[in-house]
Amino acid sequence: MQIRAIFFLVVMLFSGAAAWRLSSMADFQLFGALVHRVDTEAPLIALTFDDGPVPGKTEQILQILATENVPATFFLTGKELEQHPELLPKILNAGHQVGNHSYSHQRLVFKTPGFIAREIEQTDALLKQGGAPEPYFFRPPYGKKLVLLPWYLSEQKRLTVTWDLAPENYPQLTKDPAKLSAFTVQQAKAGSIILLHVMYDSRSNTMTAVPEIIRGLKARGFRFVTVQELLRHRPVGY
Ligand SMILES: [Zn+2]
C-alpha cells in the first residue's frame, strides 16, 4: 500500500513538474503558431518590451529609441492601457509595433476558457480603440501557457511571440547594467527576439542598459526591426 502511494506521489510530482516546464518553454507550445526567433542570415534583431504602458517610463524608453533611431515592439497589458490611454498614440506615432500581453497579467494556466478569451479580447478592443494597426501578436504573461491558452490562440489563428534571448533571467546580470548589456550584445544572433522590461522602477537597470545594448548590437552590424518586419524574413515554407 505504502509503495503504491509513494509511486503515485512520484508520478504526480513528475507530471506536475513536467507540466510546469512545458508551460514555461519559450520555444514550444502544444497548439497554434509560436515564434521565438526567425531563422535568417539577415542581420536583424527585434527588441521587445513587455508590460505597461506606464507614464514616465514610456516616454523615457521612447526617447532612448528615438535618439538611437530604432523601432521596437511593445507588448502591453489591457489594464495599463485602460489607465493610461494617452500613451498608446505616443508609442504608435513613434513608429513602434504593439502587441497583446493580456488584460490583467495573470498566469494564463489553469484558467477557464472564458477567462482566457476575456483577457485577450478586452486588450484587443483597447488596442483597436487606440488606433493600433492589426495584427496583434500575443505574448503570454510570464511566458506561461499550457493547454487552454494555446488552444484558444490556435482557434483564433493568433500568433504567439516569445523570445530567444531573455537576459534578465540571470539575476547576476540585472544588478549591473554594464553586464546586462555586454551579455545581451554577445548572445544575440541574426533573427533574435530579445525580451526586456523597462516599465517599472524595479527594472531601472534594464532601462539604463538599453542604449548600450542598442549601440553594441549596431557595432556588431545588426539592424533593428519590429517583430512584424522580422517575420517577413522567415524562410519560405516556414
Ligand atoms: Zn509581462
Side-chain angles (χ1 to χ4, degrees):
M1 196 61 194
Q2 210 176 11
I3 287 168
R4 278 181 64 186
I6 290 168
F7 176 75
F8 189 62
L9 190 66
V10 167
V11 167
M12 287 253 300
L13 281 174
F14 174 76
S15 45
W20 184 255
R21 203 176 114 67
L22 175 65
S23 75
S24 306
M25 286 171 81
D27 59 353
F28 178 77
Q29 70 183 10
L30 281 173
F31 311 102
L34 176 134
V35 166
H36 76 294
R37 55 169 283 103
V38 164
D39 263 321
T40 176
E41 278 167 25
L44 302 174
I45 299 277
L47 284 180
T48 66
F49 297 99
D50 279 14
D51 311 334
V54 171
K57 300 289 181 184
T58 303
E59 287 86 346
Q60 201 179 340
I61 188 64
L62 289 178
Q63 184 56 55
I64 291 170
L65 296 171
T67 302
E68 297 298 331
N69 194 25
V70 300
T73 304
F74 291 83
F75 288 95
L76 306 171
T77 72
K79 197 173 187 174
E80 287 164 303
L81 271 170
E82 208 166 49
Q83 286 164 350
H84 313 289
E86 73 288 358
L87 296 175
L88 179 57
K90 290 186 182 178
I91 298 172
L92 295 172
N93 291 340
H96 306 294
Q97 187 188 353
V98 294
N100 184 325
H101 193 40
S102 85
Y103 182 82
S104 62
H105 205 276
Q106 299 183 45
R107 286 179 173 80
L108 296 180
V109 291
F110 309 115
K111 296 284 192 299
T112 65
F115 182 86
I116 290 171
R118 276 195 303 281
E119 282 283 314
I120 295 172
E121 287 160 20
Q122 276 180 298
T123 306
D124 275 357
L126 289 158
L127 289 170
K128 201 162 203 159
Q129 216 174 299
E134 293 184 71
Y136 306 142
F137 300 143
F138 183 69
R139 176 166 282 170
Y142 310 98
K144 300 290 290 179
K145 62 237 159 349
L146 196 53
V147 179
L148 290 175
L149 173 63
W151 179 253
Y152 170 85
L153 295 166
S154 144
E155 287 290 294
Q156 301 289 320
K157 309 218 178 327
R158 170 89 58 136
L159 185 68
T160 305
V161 174
T162 52
W163 54 82
D164 67 337
L165 184 51
E168 296 160 304
N169 282 353
Y170 305 92
Q172 72 275 23
L173 299 179
T174 53
K175 287 184 218 130
D176 182 348
K179 280 187 187 159
L180 189 69
S181 58
F183 176 86
T184 310
V185 170
Q186 187 203 354
Q187 295 293 314
K189 299 190 281 273
S192 277
I193 299 174
I194 302 176
L195 166 66
L196 296 168
H197 299 77
V198 294
M199 290 291 173
Y200 307 118
D201 282 337
S202 58
R203 305 290 194 158
S204 63
N205 280 344
T206 303
M207 186 74 93
T208 307
V210 172
E212 279 310 309
I213 291 173
I214 295 172
R215 286 178 212 143
L217 289 170
K218 281 180 176 170
R220 280 190 60 198
F222 288 112
R223 195 162 68 76
F224 294 86
V225 289
T226 60
V227 170
Q228 198 171 2
E229 172 63 24
L230 183 63
L231 293 177
R232 297 204 186 102
H233 295 264
R234 276 193 284 188
V236 178
Y238 190 85

